[in-house]
Amino acid sequence: MQVTSPVREPLVTGGKTIHDVTEDVCSRVEQAPTKSWMVAMVASISLLLFGSYFVYRTLWDGIGMWGLNKTVGWAWDITNFVWWVGIGHAGTLISAVLLLFRQKWRTSINRAAEAMTIFAVICAAMFPLVHMGRVWIGFLWALPLPNTFGSLWVNFNSPLLWDVFAISTYFSVSLVFWYIGLIPDFGTIRDRAKNPISKAIYGALSMGWSGSAKAWMHYEAVSLILAGLATPLVLSVHTIVSFDFATSVIPGWHTTIFPPYFVAGAIFSGFAMVLTLMLVTRKVYKLEDYITMTHIEYMNYVIITTGSIVGCAYITEFFVAWYSGVEAEQYAFINRMTGPYWWAYWSMMACNVISPQAFWFKRVRRSLKLTFILSIIVNIGMWFERFVIIVTSLHRDFLPSSWAMFYPTRYDVGFYLFTFGLFFTLFFAFAKFFPVINMAEVKSVLKSSSGEIADKK
């Protein structure tokens, strides 16, 4: 009996040539903005301006405008901080880890995923800075710099300071990695530019890229080095973020499962956001031949895998609380399920554990509408996860006399909407003025992964 393995579906369809790749990607940058892009940009800028009022009031009047109280000192601000850091996690995984593993399917989605990482980290950094009370000197307070106030130093034993180093390193490496990948494509746009202003701008951005064999050799070497540096960040960044909670003695936080649990959750939510953005970009920019059903299905594989890990972590948390024999720890988890915030817990379970199981079915994995809906549901669930971990663990701690409820104010919600406006404004600007697909890497896999070969046969 002879079994013949089916040929893998091509990563680039439509029989594209190297010239076609250049035309399809560069034309989006060179042409005038489309009506749909203008509508999206106006909407995101409007949201940004709307949220700016609430940011202004928070800075002017202080964080007392938020719904925090003496019991729940962390709430929406840290929930949104952890959520945005998690959103940015997929960019490093796609660009660095999959590069080291020589996964060709990353080539069409890595550029947008890396950009998403940078913009998400910018949004995340706003919350702890504002929470410090004085943004204008927050950078000085968070860094171990010499000062004129005597021996006043940051607390190196605090995981909050570890966050500063981890996230700033993550942002720096991601930014360099993203920009290095853009240089060859900037060189291509520079050479095609007819407008002298565009030619000067993209010429400066390309940093004198020549396209010679020596330049490509250095480019490949630097990419591998940066991938090697960025790969540990996939594990370390959200591990250190989880230490904000795991190193405390608060019931529901004091557990060693948090580091792998947070990393899996970050990849889970990050890939969901990549899917959300890429499905829209694919449709608006008519990039169906480059972002194919194969890419979407592979990302859905990652979502169902990490979603299952997260679901297993939820169950493990309950087992650890029961096995510990600590009454306060056991009550913390019972309170999550049946207490005043039960609706947040069960929303989290429905969105993060139940909904991704639909991807076991190929028809769902390859459905654009269902994938888009489920990717949004996953990120809603991941927001609820952070809310449940933070608020439900704080609002009822060891002393019943200090129990309290948290109710978000319009300033909590407005600040959160501001970060959405900032994120989408940056992403839409990137999608218009920068090549949204890595032309150089797509061309490198064109011969082995294009539908052109199948068409000729």
Side-chain angles (χ1 to χ4, degrees):
M1 180 179 178
Q2 183 177 358
V3 178
T4 304
S5 176
V7 179
R8 288 183 179 177
E9 294 185 19
L11 296 177
V12 181
T13 59
K16 298 293 183 180
T17 63
I18 290 177
H19 176 71
D20 292 333
V21 175
T22 304
E23 286 293 329
D24 291 343
V25 178
C26 289
S27 61
R28 308 297 185 270
V29 178
E30 296 163 347
Q31 293 171 357
T34 61
K35 185 178 180 181
S36 57
W37 183 88
M38 292 292 291
V39 170
M41 195 63 171
V42 168
S44 61
I45 292 175
S46 300
L47 187 61
L48 179 66
L49 294 175
F50 173 75
S52 298
Y53 167 76
F54 299 97
V55 175
Y56 159 73
R57 286 296 304 275
T58 301
L59 293 174
W60 186 259
D61 296 319
I63 60 172
M65 303 298 287
W66 295 347
L68 305 178
N69 52 60
K70 66 178 183 179
T71 301
V72 187
W74 282 0
W76 268 52
D77 50 336
I78 306 301
T79 297
N80 297 334
F81 162 72
V82 179
W83 187 78
W84 276 117
V85 173
I87 289 296
H89 229 62
T92 309
L93 180 72
I94 292 171
S95 59
V97 178
L98 297 185
L99 173 63
L100 294 179
F101 282 95
R102 303 295 185 185
Q103 295 297 305
K104 295 179 180 179
W105 63 272
R106 59 175 282 283
T107 54
S108 294
I109 60 174
N110 64 336
R111 173 73 50 76
E114 291 164 11
M116 185 193 76
T117 292
I118 295 164
F119 305 149
V121 171
I122 292 172
C123 294
M126 295 192 63
F127 290 98
L129 280 174
V130 172
H131 200 178
M132 293 176 72
R134 294 178 175 87
V135 180
W136 47 94
I137 57 175
F139 292 101
L140 297 179
W141 283 2
L143 297 175
L145 300 173
N147 56 76
T148 58
F149 300 103
S151 55
L152 179 64
W153 292 93
V154 292
N155 182 10
F156 287 99
N157 293 324
S158 171
L160 300 179
L161 182 63
W162 308 344
D163 269 352
V164 174
F165 292 117
I167 293 173
S168 60
T169 303
Y170 184 52
F171 178 78
S172 302
V173 173
S174 298
L175 183 63
V176 173
F177 201 1
W178 177 64
Y179 187 77
I180 291 293
L182 279 163
I183 288 176
D185 291 354
F186 282 149
T188 301
I189 298 172
R190 171 203 63 197
D191 296 339
R192 290 168 52 93
K194 296 180 175 61
N195 186 319
I197 297 177
S198 298
K199 198 173 189 69
I201 293 173
Y202 288 108
L205 291 172
S206 64
M207 303 180 70
W209 175 261
S210 63
S212 64
K214 190 174 183 179
W216 279 110
M217 181 184 71
H218 291 314
Y219 171 82
E220 294 287 348
V222 170
S223 295
L224 284 174
I225 291 170
L226 288 173
L229 291 173
T231 297
L233 295 175
V234 175
L235 301 175
S236 67
V237 172
H238 232 62
T239 295
I240 292 174
V241 170
S242 75
F243 288 166
D244 295 349
F245 313 103
T247 56
S248 73
V249 294
I250 300 295
W253 287 4
H254 189 61
T255 175
T256 54
I257 198 177
F258 267 21
Y261 166 20
F262 269 53
V263 170
I267 297 171
F268 183 49
S269 61
F271 266 84
M273 182 60 86
V274 171
L275 271 172
T276 303
L277 295 176
M278 295 311 294
L279 286 171
V280 176
T281 304
R282 177 182 188 265
K283 182 69 174 178
V284 172
Y285 283 163
K286 297 180 174 58
L287 296 172
E288 289 87 353
D289 289 330
Y290 300 98
I291 305 170
T292 65
M293 288 305 306
T294 302
H295 294 95
I296 294 167
E297 189 169 15
Y298 284 171
M299 285 191 279
N300 285 335
Y301 285 144
V302 176
I303 286 178
I304 193 173
T305 302
T306 51
S308 300
I309 294 172
V310 168
C312 182
Y314 293 160
I315 298 170
T316 305
E317 278 188 310
F318 274 86
F319 171 78
V320 171
W322 166 78
Y323 192 73
S324 69
V326 179
E327 187 175 1
E329 189 79 17
Q330 293 171 352
Y331 175 75
F333 285 91
I334 294 173
N335 180 55
R336 286 184 184 180
M337 284 195 305
T338 61
Y341 292 109
W342 63 268
W343 49 272
Y345 176 82
W346 290 111
S347 297
M348 173 193 79
M349 293 295 288
C351 295
N352 292 350
V353 180
I354 298 173
S355 68
Q357 304 309 314
F359 286 134
W360 284 106
F361 303 99
K362 187 172 184 178
R363 182 176 297 178
V364 178
R365 287 197 308 270
R366 298 181 70 88
S367 168
L368 297 178
K369 291 181 180 179
L370 292 177
T371 296
F372 182 75
I373 293 170
L374 287 171
S375 68
I376 294 175
I377 289 174
V378 164
N379 267 315
I380 292 172
M382 288 307 296
W383 188 91
F384 274 116
E385 179 200 287
R386 278 61 181 256
F387 180 83
V388 166
I389 290 173
I390 294 165
V391 175
T392 64
S393 298
L394 287 175
H395 89 113
R396 289 186 175 178
D397 55 7
F398 295 103
L399 296 175
S401 59
S402 63
W403 288 1
M405 292 291 290
F406 166 76
Y407 299 102
T409 67
R410 56 180 176 172
Y411 299 97
D412 287 294
V413 179
F415 200 149
Y416 187 40
L417 293 178
F418 170 81
T419 58
F420 269 101
L422 177 62
F423 178 82
F424 285 110
T425 299
L426 292 172
F427 187 84
F428 291 145
F430 153 76
K432 175 64 188 78
F433 299 108
F434 287 6
V436 74
I437 286 180
N438 193 324
M439 290 186 286
E441 293 198 356
V442 169
K443 291 174 184 176
S444 69
V445 302
L446 198 60
K447 186 175 181 181
S448 59
S449 304
S450 174
E452 183 180 6
I453 299 173
D455 292 342
K456 288 182 178 179
K457 289 182 179 181

